[in-house]
Amino acid sequence: MNFLRKRQLQQRLQQDPYYRLQSLEEVTLAASLGIKIDVNRATIDDWLRLPGISIHQGRSLVQLTDQGVQFYSLDDVAAALGISVQRLQPLAPVLSFAYYAPELALPQININGASLEELTAFGVNATLAFAIIQERQRGNYRHFADLQARLKLPSQQIMAWLHQFRFS
């Protein structure tokens, strides 16, 4: 990025705290200027500053953190959004995490297609597994925030399931 363009972006970022970064090049520049987004305290507007993050994704992440779910790594955010971590990797320079979870390669199960037996075999207690299936009859779960809201699950339960369940 040439000096003039860098200076213009720096001025825009200083004047407009909600300036939406337009490219990965701007993400890199923002990071070099010390701009960070704390993923566990980010607002929808914060998430929308990032290229490639939709309003639906931002709302889902904020809803989860509002309910007490904490993200410890880029892997957690990717799992919550149901996308690959590689897709979020270019945004890493401006994302800030308080803690980092150890990397775990856990098997996953489709919560929208799993039977009672599959859910219980996966470690879900029978009562909760039955509730998951009953509530699923109203329509598939869209994401973790939807699952949490519909079943009124505690944030600790969602955190435990982030890498275990998928929604397709």
Side-chain angles (χ1 to χ4, degrees):
M1 183 176 279
N2 67 39
F3 178 77
L4 179 60
R5 193 161 163 223
K6 184 176 180 178
R7 182 74 180 131
Q8 289 171 338
L9 179 61
Q10 183 176 11
Q11 288 174 341
R12 267 188 263 154
L13 289 169
Q14 289 170 339
Q15 292 170 356
D16 182 3
Y18 298 109
Y19 173 76
R20 184 171 172 105
L21 301 171
Q22 302 297 310
S23 67
L24 298 179
E25 186 178 37
E26 288 187 0
V27 168
T28 302
L29 177 60
S32 74
L33 296 172
I35 293 174
K36 290 284 186 186
I37 295 173
D38 181 342
V39 299
N40 290 307
R41 294 189 180 174
T43 64
I44 294 171
D45 287 330
D46 290 330
W47 286 113
L48 289 177
R49 293 181 72 190
L50 302 172
I53 299 294
S54 73
I55 191 164
H56 302 292
Q57 291 170 320
R59 283 181 182 151
S60 178
L61 293 169
V62 169
Q63 188 176 12
L64 285 169
T65 55
D66 284 350
Q67 297 297 320
V69 172
Q70 289 193 29
F71 300 111
Y72 297 112
S73 68
L74 203 56
D75 290 332
D76 290 346
V77 176
L81 294 175
I83 61 176
S84 72
V85 70
Q86 289 81 9
R87 191 163 151 214
L88 290 179
Q89 193 63 46
L91 304 177
V94 294
L95 298 178
S96 173
F97 296 88
Y99 305 100
Y100 297 95
E103 292 187 29
L104 301 173
L106 299 174
Q108 288 189 326
I109 189 171
N110 178 359
I111 199 154
N112 287 317
S115 67
L116 181 67
E117 294 77 20
E118 290 170 321
L119 289 168
T120 56
F122 216 72
V124 178
N125 77 49
T127 304
L128 184 51
F130 183 74
I132 289 169
I133 292 170
Q134 286 297 109
E135 180 61 27
R136 188 172 67 200
Q137 292 175 2
R138 292 189 332 133
N140 281 348
Y141 300 103
R142 298 180 318 243
H143 41 67
F144 282 105
D146 181 38
L147 175 70
Q148 183 180 30
R150 287 168 58 181
L151 294 175
K152 307 208 182 336
L153 296 170
S155 58
Q156 295 84 356
Q157 184 67 68
I158 296 298
M159 288 171 56
W161 287 351
L162 276 178
H163 295 282
Q164 294 179 313
F165 293 118
R166 64 183 193 288
F167 296 87
S168 59

